[in-house]
Amino acid sequence: MNKVVANADEAIKDIESGMTLMLGGFGLCGIPENCIAALVRKGVNNLTCISNNAGVDDFGIGLLLQQKQVKKMISSYVGENAEFERQLLSGELEVELVPQGTLATRCMASGYGMPAVYLLAGVGTEVAEGKEVRNFNGKDYLLEYAFDSDYAIVKAWKGDTMGNLVFKDTARNFNPMMAMAGKITIAEVEELVEPGQLNPNEIHTPGIYVHRIFKGTNYEKRIEQRTIRKR
Amino acid sequence: MSLTKEQIAQRIAKELQDGFYVNLGIGIPTLVANYIPQGVNVVLQSENGLLGMGPFPFEGEEDADLINAGKQTITTLPGSAFFDSAMSFGMIRAGKVDLTVLGAMEVADNGDIANWKIPGKMVKGMGGAMDLVAAAKNIIVAMQHTNPKGESKLLPACTLPLTGVKCVKKIVTDLGVFDVTPDGFRCIEYAPGVTIEEIKAKTAGRLTIAEDVKEITF
């Protein structure tokens, strides 16, 4: 078993234009910074990106948008990005807006081997258009399909060489269920350790879901809204 | 005088009960956390994966890995718990969250809510709002009674794309407090100095006035 790769460029080396990628993170929190930078360097385009948000103009997925590498975004909220807005309004970019819980659960369903799930969010709204509605116990639900993605790219706090992952604080967000959902899952971690150094009781994502892992470098961890209180 | 945003939040805080798990949306709802009554212990849920959201950090103690759903830096409290986004919306969907407070562009007198999209303008997305309104046991809307043009936001039917149907239970505006009933909005309290006539004039949806309607107290 050898899951460890040298760096982000090696981890994403076989990602091709036109593929569907899941990218973990909420806002700029817990995003795979190293792999996004490597995708920009590689220059692959026509990507479909499943990610809760689309980054900001000059960070996160915004960097891929700047280089016009994204064909379609599947997200719940894309409000922090002027370049995104420009490409959307000019028709260069497609967007599919999905309620946040539905987005998370469609990733989860994929990782649990469930082809589809019935979910409440969006019943009676335009999100329901074209979807099968089924009533359970007097309440309507929408049939929502598991996502199909070529690669899932996640960021964890710690990982071991067997691919076991531990996330920190709210940087966990979409990362665990996306890690479970990739045909190939790439994890970049702040600390890469040997097997046995992580407590098996405290693993968030078991290594079976992770195919490639590397220690990331130079994390910027940009804060979107720096809010503080007085001492 | 109509209520300030802070007073709207302060009035909503009176709805909090000891032991509640509460999700507060962005804007006026966030301010509710500043007015939690003494002796009432509630746990704030942030849908990006935290129960037990604490106050903003002291300067120098901000952590990029610890934010709320509005992407603001926050802190934890003793007893906090982190979890992933699927579990977060799992607990919301399963009805474990007792109260959701959120803003709205329009509310209809049957409880429909619109707060995510204005056709022809930039669409930013619904985030977690559709999941929250579809599942929360109790939804209170915090908003201004009228839009900047002076038009009522309490309508017979929403004109904007819906976020959820028949889900809002109560609305607190700058003019008063309204229950959503089978007969439409029912005004149960009015803001100090605001007349019932003004409320009637500024409410486009069906409106009844509670027999025991009274002035809002804090």
Side-chain angles (χ1 to χ4, degrees):
Chain A
M1 183 178 297
N2 186 16
K3 298 185 177 185
V4 179
V5 294
N7 53 39
D9 296 293
E10 189 183 335
I12 62 132
K13 65 179 189 298
D14 47 7
I15 292 182
E16 294 168 12
S17 293
M19 284 184 163
T20 296
L21 313 180
M22 284 181 174
L23 294 137
F26 181 95
L28 301 178
C29 180
I31 59 171
E33 293 182 22
N34 280 225
C35 283
I36 291 170
L39 287 166
V40 171
R41 280 193 294 274
K42 188 166 164 51
V44 285
N45 54 32
N46 275 316
L47 299 172
T48 294
C49 294
I50 302 168
S51 179
N52 188 54
N53 310 92
V56 296
D57 276 327
D58 61 346
F59 201 57
I61 292 175
L63 297 170
L64 291 167
L65 290 163
Q66 263 183 13
Q67 302 302 318
K68 304 201 169 109
Q69 292 173 269
V70 182
K71 178 184 71 174
K72 181 177 182 181
M73 282 298 313
I74 300 175
S75 303
S76 84
Y77 189 81
V78 293
E80 321 292 347
N81 194 317
E83 174 61 14
F84 183 96
E85 183 171 352
R86 192 198 64 73
Q87 290 184 24
L88 184 65
L89 295 174
S90 71
E92 294 164 62
L93 180 68
E94 284 175 63
V95 64
E96 180 182 338
L97 292 169
V98 179
Q100 196 173 130
T102 298
L103 187 77
T105 307
R106 289 174 66 188
C107 296
M108 190 199 80
S110 181
Y112 277 80
M114 303 186 293
V117 286
Y118 284 100
L119 300 177
L120 267 174
V123 169
T125 76
E126 63 182 51
V127 164
E129 283 169 17
K131 289 178 183 161
E132 180 188 321
V133 179
R134 185 157 164 189
N135 191 284
F136 295 92
N137 305 319
K139 223 169 181 176
D140 283 343
Y141 294 79
L142 304 179
L143 183 68
E144 299 278 5
Y145 291 95
F147 282 121
D148 196 18
S149 74
D150 297 302
Y151 287 79
I153 305 175
V154 303
K155 153 79 189 346
W157 177 30
K158 296 176 186 175
D160 68 21
T161 57
M162 293 182 75
N164 295 302
L165 303 178
V166 178
F167 303 92
K168 182 166 169 281
D169 298 3
T170 55
R172 192 183 316 185
N173 56 62
F174 281 81
N175 283 300
M177 76 239 32
M178 286 186 172
M180 295 168 69
K183 283 194 196 76
I184 294 177
T185 291
I186 298 166
E188 55 175 85
V189 300
E190 290 177 56
E191 286 178 50
L192 182 61
V193 300
E194 291 300 317
Q197 291 186 260
L198 298 176
N199 182 340
N201 288 303
E202 294 170 1
I203 302 292
H204 296 132
T205 297
I208 191 169
Y209 288 111
V210 176
H211 305 89
R212 300 173 192 170
I213 189 166
F214 68 94
K215 183 183 181 310
T217 53
N218 299 320
Y219 281 104
E220 181 179 340
K221 291 199 179 184
R222 196 183 292 187
I223 291 173
E224 265 181 88
Q225 306 283 342
R226 186 179 299 273
T227 43
I228 53 168
R229 71 184 139 136
K230 292 201 174 75
R231 273 181 206 276
Chain B
M1 280 297 288
S2 53
L3 301 188
T4 62
K5 287 177 182 176
E6 285 73 18
Q7 287 172 316
I8 294 174
Q10 197 176 356
R11 173 61 188 81
I12 290 172
K14 285 176 68 181
E15 303 291 320
L16 301 175
Q17 293 175 27
D18 195 47
F20 264 19
Y21 288 89
V22 181
N23 182 291
L24 301 176
I26 293 164
I28 300 174
T30 305
L31 301 173
V32 173
N34 300 335
Y35 299 100
I36 298 169
Q38 281 240 307
V40 172
N41 284 305
V42 300
V43 178
L44 299 180
Q45 200 248 20
S46 189
E47 66 265 25
N48 57 320
L50 170 64
L51 275 168
M53 179 165 53
F56 295 149
F58 291 120
E59 187 164 13
E61 293 176 3
E62 315 91 282
D63 182 347
D65 289 331
L66 182 47
I67 62 169
N68 63 18
K71 284 111 182 176
Q72 297 170 313
T73 47
I74 48 158
T75 56
T76 55
L77 294 170
S80 287
F82 294 115
F83 37 85
D84 64 50
S85 300
M87 185 180 281
S88 180
F89 285 95
M91 64 183 71
I92 289 166
R93 210 180 279 129
K96 306 296 181 187
V97 174
D98 298 288
L99 174 65
T100 290
V101 183
L102 75 177
M105 299 174 194
E106 296 177 345
V107 179
D109 62 23
N110 67 348
D112 288 358
I113 178 172
N115 73 352
W116 75 283
K117 181 176 180 181
I118 301 175
K121 290 202 177 169
M122 173 59 189
V123 178
K124 293 175 186 288
M126 66 292 278
M130 282 194 182
D131 310 89
L132 281 159
V133 300
K137 282 183 283 195
N138 191 5
I139 297 170
I140 300 179
V141 165
M143 67 177 188
Q144 303 298 323
H145 206 92
T146 55
N147 66 22
K149 291 185 202 159
E151 297 161 342
S152 182
K153 295 168 72 172
L154 283 74
L155 301 173
C158 292
T159 64
L160 296 169
L162 295 181
T163 309
V165 295
K166 296 178 186 164
C167 52
V168 176
K169 302 287 193 292
K170 192 184 283 282
I171 307 156
V172 179
T173 76
D174 49 331
L175 301 187
V177 182
F178 305 84
D179 284 333
V180 177
T181 74
D183 299 320
F185 303 116
R186 184 171 64 209
C187 178
I188 57 169
E189 293 176 31
Y190 53 88
V194 170
T195 64
I196 297 297
E197 283 63 40
E198 181 180 358
I199 288 171
K200 283 180 176 170
K202 291 182 174 172
T203 304
R206 291 175 298 153
L207 174 71
T208 59
I209 309 296
E211 282 177 22
D212 56 348
V213 67
K214 59 181 197 288
E215 187 174 292
I216 294 175
T217 53
F218 298 102

